[in-house]
Amino acid sequence: KLADERRQQPQEDLISDLIHGQAEGDGVLDDDGIVMAVAGLVAAGSETTTLAANGMLRLLFQHPEQLALVRAERERIPDAVRESLRFDFGAPTGSSARYALEDFELCGKKIRKGDMLMMSVGAAHRDPRVFPDPDRFDITRDTKDLLVFGHGPHYCLGANLALQELRCVLESALDFLPENARLLEDQIEWESIGVMRRASRLPFDFG
């Protein structure tokens, strides 16, 4: 409905740009294409960042020594953001389906052309060959091999924006949450988001 309205009366917004910013003919998005593009931007550019911010604050308050470190050394905020994404973002059981283009062997298993594999960023981030002692939450660790934003030609277009948003969230939280604030873990409420979950209620006692 909104796409149809913008076709008739363009405004200064993304939907109008998607409709009117393309040449007539091949490549013009129909209404379904507009809906898919906008839904993808909302899901990838909003929901994921909310989910990551939620998990980051929960993790830091569950690890008070790490929270104290980032409070004392604010320059570690980017490190805390990246370690939070490594430690607790992405479904560990696999969430991205891929299909083999040819026969090959993986970890001693024969994979046949056409077989489906479930790729798990969450599991990759717990690989001890890449991240020593991976079950330890440590904001001082090297996270250069973080895969949460993808890799190569599939690298997330919004990665830099997401990282900056998460840094701002943490910076603000450190400003307004006093040092004696604590997470009320027994009152956290959870909800499912596809193959992942997030806290729909994340209550704090301000002390």
Side-chain angles (χ1 to χ4, degrees), residues 1-202:
K1 182 173 182 287
L2 197 57
D4 187 54
E5 289 176 5
R6 294 297 189 266
R7 279 198 173 84
Q8 310 307 317
Q9 295 182 310
Q11 296 187 23
E12 293 290 325
D13 61 21
L14 175 64
I15 296 177
S16 298
D17 289 346
L18 288 171
I19 294 168
H20 300 283
Q22 304 171 82
E24 294 296 326
D26 291 343
V28 175
L29 292 174
D30 60 14
D31 285 354
D32 286 344
I34 298 289
V35 170
M36 290 293 290
V38 174
L41 286 170
V42 170
S46 173
E47 186 61 52
T48 51
T49 311
T50 302
L51 190 62
N54 183 308
M56 174 179 63
L57 293 177
R58 180 173 49 81
L59 273 173
L60 284 166
F61 275 85
Q62 287 174 336
H63 297 84
E65 74 292 346
Q66 299 295 300
L67 178 59
L69 180 57
V70 78
R71 276 193 187 278
E73 302 175 23
R74 293 280 184 113
E75 66 273 17
R76 292 191 180 274
I77 285 177
D79 300 324
V81 167
R82 292 177 65 84
E83 173 65 355
S84 297
L85 291 170
R86 181 201 71 83
F87 193 84
D88 191 27
F89 193 88
T93 54
S95 58
S96 300
R98 296 291 185 267
Y99 295 89
L101 298 178
E102 58 187 40
D103 294 350
F104 66 98
E105 191 170 297
L106 177 67
C107 299
K109 302 290 185 183
K110 291 185 184 294
I111 308 297
R112 303 295 185 191
K113 181 179 179 179
D115 283 353
M116 184 179 76
L117 295 91
M118 295 298 289
M119 313 302 286
S120 171
V121 169
H125 285 161
R126 296 300 178 98
D127 185 343
R129 296 167 298 179
V130 182
F131 302 104
D133 193 8
D135 294 330
R136 177 171 51 87
F137 180 65
D138 179 7
I139 68 170
T140 68
R141 81 163 67 242
D142 182 358
T143 54
K144 72 178 185 304
D145 292 319
L146 198 69
L147 289 175
V148 71
F149 293 110
H151 182 71
H154 300 286
Y155 192 72
C156 175
L157 290 172
N160 289 332
L161 175 60
L163 288 168
Q164 187 60 43
E165 287 175 330
L166 292 169
R167 289 168 194 161
C168 289
V169 167
L170 183 50
E171 185 84 48
S172 298
L174 295 176
D175 285 342
F176 74 75
L177 286 169
E179 290 195 22
N180 60 342
R182 62 188 181 90
L183 176 63
L184 302 175
E185 292 198 53
D186 60 333
Q187 296 181 33
I188 296 176
E189 296 176 5
W190 297 93
E191 64 181 347
S192 295
I193 304 291
V195 295
M196 302 169 71
R197 68 170 191 162
R198 73 168 178 197
S200 57
R201 186 166 184 269
L202 194 69

